[in-house]
Amino acid sequence: MSTETEVVPPRAKVTEIDTVVIRFVGDSGDGMQLTGTQFADTTALVGNDLATLPDFPAEIRAPAGTLAGVSGYQISFSSRDIKTPGDQPDVLVAMNPAALKTNIGDLEEGGILIVDTDAFTEGNLAKAGCKTNPLKDRSLTGFRVFDIPLTSLTLQAVAEAGLTGRQATRCKNFFALGLVFWLYERPVDYTREWIEKKFKDHEQMAKANTLALLAGYNYADTTEVFTNHFRVRKAQLLPGTYRKITGNEATATGFITAALLSGRPLFYGSYPITPASDVLHELSRFKNYPVKTFQAEDEISAIGAAIGASYGGALGLTGTSGPGVALKSEAIGLAVMTELPLVIANIQRGGPSTGLPTKTEQADLFQAVLGRNGECPVAVVAPATPADCFAMAIEAFRIATRFMTPVFFLSDGYLGNGAEPWKIPPKSELPELDVRFRTEQEGFQPYLRDPKTLARPWAVPGTPGLEHRIGGLEKEDVTGNVSYDPQNHEKMVRLRAEKIARIASDIPRVEVFGKDSGRVLVVGWGSTYGAITSAVEELQEKGRPVSSIHLRYLNPFPANLGDVLRRFEKVLVPELNLGQLSMLIRARYLVDAIGLNKVQGKPFRVSEITRAIEELLRG
Amino acid sequence: MPSGVDVKGPKPTRADFATDQTVRWCPGCGDYSILAQVQKVMPNLGVARENIVFVSGIGCSSRFPYYMNTYGFHSIHGRAPTIATGIKVSRPELSVWVVTGDGDGLSIGGNHLIHAMRRNLDIKILLFNNRIYGLTKGQYSPTSEFGKKTKSSPFGTAEQPINPLGVALASECTFVARSVDIDTQHLSSIIERAARHRGTAFIEIYQNCNIFNDGAFEDFVAREVRTDRMIQIEHGKPLVFGKERRKGIRLRGFHPEVVTIGESGVSESDLLVHDETPQEPALAYLLSRMSYPEYPVPVGVFYRADRPRYEEIVEQQSIQATARFGAGSIERLLDSGETYKVT
Ligand code: SF4
């Protein structure tokens, strides 16, 4: 990328560090998500490894200045390979008292705190429930505080753009961004280009935001408020082409890729729901691809239409979060009975009921594996990182079409909204998706199975001679006619279960991270991968006898899972729920899995996992 | 031309559309007659069997697909319109039919029905209205008359029935019709017109459940009284009925009234002339509310309009986007966004 810039190169003293964690916090109207995303985009282009954690309130605009309205974006970036957005920020940028109050507890001791002093008015302090002004009451003495009148400096800087006062004030996030860019030696060019594109129809706004950005940068450079700035060298990533990607973007990209690989169009039926709506937004853009999106009248219609599309020969996909899955359950049963390929993407959030719409949780595992009437098995896969959503989205359709079954794709809010660098795979490394319809009339039976996979044929309307009827009533083996015969019912129930069980021989075995046997095995699934792996890595470096495995396949489990579990004295299962995977493991393998459970709407900190492992090792 | 047109090969016959499955409706059920009419109409449409899909929900009527030798999908309660939507959007060339009932379509599946109609997908919806729950053995339905005593309402219902045609009109449906199971000629002609309509076609079919609600429509559909108590509405023709065709409907303000031609100075030119394609469906709505014994019960096409179809618009958007941006490929997809190289 170009490094051309109108700003002067920094003159202050440079300190090299390898990892930094910054958290931007402000009112939900302050543009903190935008600030964080811009910082992450530039950081990716600079060549650091990174991981992000956006955290926003459920209300779109909670009353300004209140604790409920605080929105945050945390990013960790490094010259090393990192897997989490960091336990605690080293740098906190707080735009108002409420943001400071709700986040200061997380800031590392001695960390950098940048605050907008203009926002510390009596009114804002009262809204945040601060009895005294933290900037004056010495409560912040443990931190390196930079109290800067961000709002008034922004207003001065953008004056020439001629915006209203309100509009001008809203540019202050770019001022703050400029400041932090300077502090960590990031160029402003990418954001400048972005502003120009974004506000191409609004010249004044483009100008004002650019002025604010540059003013922030130059302010840091010239005023010597900061005596230091920091250098984080490029990370030693594997050679290749990269792109910063969020989990939801990777999910959408993976599903479209599945369509292109299989030669079958993608049909996405969905109803808006946090935090899955971004998948709908993303897929709706790709109209020049074999992708059709359908915003349904409700969750049930979304899956019904996806099933109809599958029946018609498309890759039927529906996406939602836990409450939506609850509504779709009956239809999932229909897809199990009619044995049609279907993928259900659940971007999990805190539950039960409406729960915590914007917060992450892993408590829908039981729902995916077990949550339907009758014996109703489906395959379940779960991506481990934002970028892994790409691979697992393709994998979900590979399984769905190969075994003619619904497949759950269990992501969550943390993965969906979090971002990391993604090494774009060359086309040659993508899996094959060999999807075939039955066209041969001779010997056709709707429920005649492939001897290996037990899949029934995919015979789509429009194929002469294969006219047949399917539905939710129990099917007679082979013919697919309605049957209430008791023996046949048991046979079919067992066949459907066996079909899912056979997927185990079609998926990779689990690989142990660390030694193959030993004292403690940590077993994770889904979005806890980063925190678990970082914790285990850290302890392994200290010579502790701990290993880990990460399950991306939850139903069926990988074929060697039982063997691996038995090679360790103790098994620890960290999950963002009250012990769903550990119960499944206990039930299946009679292994005394010990849970480490957290349900706070937040991902694990690495330290929480290291502590639990150390305790197990001691005990 | 209806969707799925295929003129190759010898013309199929009615028998080609029957399956080997034993029909399991109660003897005497109105569903038999509807099935027979649909099977009769099918060969006229010039659509190959393999290009036709019947989708249903749950209920007696929803057994229908098993008896049609086409593709068929007997789904779950109330959801047939959603399945049909997915089929039609992903395979616009298919002829897609939804068979539903008063409980399936207007109670548990009410939401889907209205949204399918408002989108104007080119699907055909046959709603068998027997004003009762048959399959679950006799509870009142959303079209049961007020106060009706059933197993689940031994003291009479406390609910106002819904007007299916009113729902269709309010949902901006582009073809709204009503017919009766036993008037086979009328029924088959309406089904055929619905099939040829381009857009969502909704037909309410009065269907007798001789087990749980026998004679629900007998007062006006019985052969002896039909001509006096029902009125066939036809585009461009005055609303005349009765054995001697001397009775008619005149509009007084917003109020339809029954008049006799030749009495009190009424002549045929005073009568309301039916218009299927007016600017606004207000008249169709008025007609849909006429009920026996105050009025003759109207059957026929109440309203139709020509509007773009959902699946067609979606298809157009894809074509336009492809023309503008070029067809997508894996390489283009993966490289979209800001990429950077690490060496
Ligand atoms: S219960 Fe009524 S509607 Fe159902 S099949 Fe019997 S007669 Fe027909």
Side-chain angles (χ1 to χ4, degrees), chain B residues 88-160:
Chain B
K88 190 68 191 175
V89 174
S90 59
R91 300 285 306 278
E93 77 281 13
L94 297 173
S95 164
V96 181
W97 295 69
V98 169
V99 179
T100 184
D102 39 326
D104 189 64
L106 292 166
S107 194
I108 195 166
N111 196 30
H112 308 309
L113 188 71
I114 63 180
H115 289 280
M117 292 192 287
R118 112 183 131 78
R119 292 189 184 105
N120 197 32
L121 290 136
D122 188 8
I123 58 176
K124 314 301 153 200
I125 303 170
L126 310 179
L127 185 137
F128 299 9
N129 182 6
N130 56 17
R131 297 186 175 165
I132 199 80
Y133 281 83
L135 193 66
T136 51
K137 301 194 163 70
Q139 301 82 5
Y140 63 90
S141 91
T143 53
S144 294
E145 53 284 16
F146 178 79
K148 187 178 185 68
K149 291 196 168 112
T150 70
K151 270 189 200 155
S152 55
S153 57
F155 298 96
T157 72
E159 303 177 16
Q160 197 61 34

Side-chain angles (χ1 to χ4, degrees), chain B residues 24-32 59-61 130 132-135 137 207-213:
Chain B
R24 296 200 192 190
W25 289 312
C26 308
C29 174
D31 291 357
Y32 283 94
C60 292
S61 60
N130 56 17
I132 199 80
Y133 281 83
L135 193 66
K137 301 194 163 70
Q207 172 247 324
N208 191 40
C209 167
N210 55 309
I211 302 296
F212 295 110
N213 200 17

Side-chain angles (χ1 to χ4, degrees), chain B residues 268-310:
Chain B
E268 207 178 285
S269 60
D270 296 321
L271 300 184
L272 178 59
V273 175
H274 184 48
D275 181 4
E276 291 174 356
T277 57
Q279 284 272 314
E280 290 296 328
L283 181 65
Y285 185 69
L286 268 188
L287 294 177
S288 79
R289 296 183 63 85
M290 283 172 32
S291 63
Y292 181 78
E294 296 85 354
Y295 297 104
V297 175
V299 289
V301 176
F302 286 62
Y303 178 76
R304 69 189 157 83
D306 188 21
R307 260 201 298 132
R309 290 146 295 276
Y310 180 89

Side-chain angles (χ1 to χ4, degrees), chain B residues 64-80:
Chain B
F64 202 92
Y66 291 119
Y67 313 133
M68 289 296 298
N69 194 4
T70 61
Y71 282 88
F73 202 143
H74 176 212
S75 74
I76 44 178
H77 209 5
R79 319 304 173 201

